[in-house]
Amino acid sequence: MKTKIKVLVVDDEPYSREELKHLLSIFDSIHIVGEADSGEDAIIQTIQLQPDIVFLDIEMPKMDGMQTAKSLMEFKNPPKIIFATAYPQFAVEAFRYEAIDYLLKPYDEEQISETVSRIIKFLKPINLPKQSKLAGKLAIEDNGEIIYIEPKDIIYVYKEDKFSRIITVDNAYETKASLKELENRLSTYSFCRIHKSYFVNLRYINKLSPWFNGAFQLELKGSNEKLSVSRNYVKDLRTKLEI
C-alpha cells in the first residue's frame, strides 16, 4: 500500500524546479521521487519511477509539455498531470489531457496548498495514508505545552498576526504553526478553506448566505461569529457541501 503520493517535477529551468520542489516539500503527503529537465527525460523518469503525479512545464525545447503529456497518456497506467507554466493561454488545451490542475508561475504557497489538497482528494481512494486512532489527534504547542486536539472537535482555524488560532467546541488554542501546515495536517478530515486566513470544519456549517460581490457569510454550530467566505473559495465550498 502506498503511504505517500509520488511526484515527478519536470521543467527545463533549474530555478523553477527547485522552487516547486521546495514548496511541495512542506507537505507530508508528498514524496518527490525525481525531476526532469526535458520532455524526453520526463518519459524515461516516469517509466523508471512510476510517479502518481507529474508537475509538467509546457514551454520546453524540442518536446514541449503538451507533447510530453500526450506520450504519458499512452502509458498503461499513466500518471496524473498538473501543468505548471507562465502562460495561461494553454489552459483549455491542457485539460484535454485530463489535467488535475493548471498552475501559473510564479508560484505561491497558497496556490500550491490548494493544488495538494486537490491531489489528495483526487487520489484519496488509492493513495491516502491511513492514520491510526492514536495518530488521529492534532498535536500543537500552546504556551509551552503539547496539546492533543481531536480534529472532530475543531470548528474552525484562522490566522491572526504571527499565530494560528484553533477554535474548538469547548476551547481556543494558539500556535505558531502556520495555517497551511495545520490545513495539510488536517487534510484527511472534513475541512475546507473559505478565505486566505480561514478554514472550517464542514461538519459544523449551519448556514451559508449570500453577502456581496460574490462573497458569502457562513454560520457555524457552536460559534456566534459569522465568517466571510471569499468568492475565490465559494465554488470549492459549495462543491464539498454538494450544493
Side-chain angles (χ1 to χ4, degrees), residues 131-139 148-151 185-186 189:
Q131 295 189 4
S132 68
K133 292 183 178 180
L134 182 62
K137 293 186 178 181
L138 177 69
Y148 296 92
I149 305 173
E150 289 281 0
R185 288 164 62 186
L186 291 167
Y189 299 91

Side-chain angles (χ1 to χ4, degrees), residues 2-3 30 35 43 49 127 153 156 195 197 221 231:
K2 296 179 181 179
T3 57
I30 297 295
E35 59 183 287
I43 293 172
L49 302 173
N127 275 50
D153 293 335
Y156 66 95
H195 186 277
S197 300
K221 300 173 186 177
R231 62 182 181 181

Side-chain angles (χ1 to χ4, degrees), residues 3-229:
T3 57
K4 289 195 175 185
I5 298 169
K6 297 190 295 181
V7 167
L8 175 67
V9 176
V10 183
D11 198 309
D12 63 315
E13 299 178 0
Y15 175 78
S16 292
R17 292 199 306 274
E18 290 303 316
E19 180 185 23
L20 185 54
K21 285 163 53 184
H22 170 71
L23 290 170
L24 289 170
S25 68
I26 298 171
F27 301 93
D28 293 336
S29 55
I30 297 295
H31 174 44
I32 300 171
V33 295
E35 59 183 287
D37 61 4
S38 67
E40 296 89 345
D41 191 24
I43 293 172
I44 294 172
Q45 296 261 20
T46 299
I47 293 171
Q48 294 175 341
L49 302 173
Q50 296 292 302
D52 303 302
I53 300 289
V54 174
F55 281 80
L56 184 59
D57 186 26
I58 293 179
E59 288 289 287
M60 296 187 293
K62 296 181 180 179
M63 187 180 225
D64 66 23
M66 294 301 177
Q67 293 170 317
T68 304
K70 184 177 180 180
S71 295
L72 294 177
M73 289 288 290
E74 295 174 357
F75 283 24
K76 183 177 180 180
N77 295 304
K80 296 302 178 182
I81 304 294
I82 293 176
F83 286 101
T85 178
Y87 303 95
Q89 65 266 30
F90 297 112
V92 174
E93 184 179 357
F95 286 102
R96 294 176 184 171
Y97 298 102
E98 301 179 13
I100 294 179
D101 209 347
Y102 190 93
L103 295 177
L104 287 176
K105 302 175 184 179
Y107 310 119
D108 62 59
E109 291 184 8
E110 184 171 325
Q111 180 188 32
I112 298 298
S113 178
E114 291 173 3
T115 294
V116 170
S117 295
R118 191 168 289 114
I119 291 171
I120 291 172
K121 182 179 180 181
F122 189 89
L123 297 180
K124 185 175 182 179
I126 56 174
N127 275 50
L128 199 60
K130 302 295 182 181
Q131 295 189 4
S132 68
K133 292 183 178 180
L134 182 62
K137 293 186 178 181
L138 177 69
I140 65 163
E141 184 177 348
D142 182 71
N143 292 323
E145 297 181 331
I146 303 299
I147 308 294
Y148 296 92
I149 305 173
E150 289 281 0
K152 66 181 179 62
D153 293 335
I154 298 173
I155 303 175
Y156 66 95
V157 183
Y158 69 100
K159 179 181 178 181
E160 185 175 75
D161 298 325
K162 296 181 180 180
F163 297 92
S164 294
R165 302 187 187 277
I166 302 171
I167 308 302
T168 71
V169 292
D170 55 11
N171 215 328
Y173 302 94
E174 181 179 273
T175 175
K176 292 182 180 179
S178 71
L179 200 66
K180 292 179 180 62
E181 179 185 346
L182 293 173
E183 186 179 30
N184 183 50
R185 288 164 62 186
L186 291 167
S187 62
T188 59
Y189 299 91
S190 56
F191 288 88
C192 182
R193 181 76 72 122
I194 62 167
H195 186 277
K196 66 179 182 179
S197 300
Y198 283 77
F199 66 87
V200 303
N201 191 334
L202 297 174
R203 297 175 183 273
Y204 289 92
I205 292 179
N206 190 43
K207 185 177 180 181
L208 183 64
S209 305
W211 200 17
F212 67 92
N213 290 336
F216 280 70
Q217 271 197 335
L218 197 63
E219 293 182 16
L220 298 167
K221 300 173 186 177
S223 173
N224 294 323
E225 185 177 358
K226 292 184 178 181
L227 304 182
S228 173
V229 183

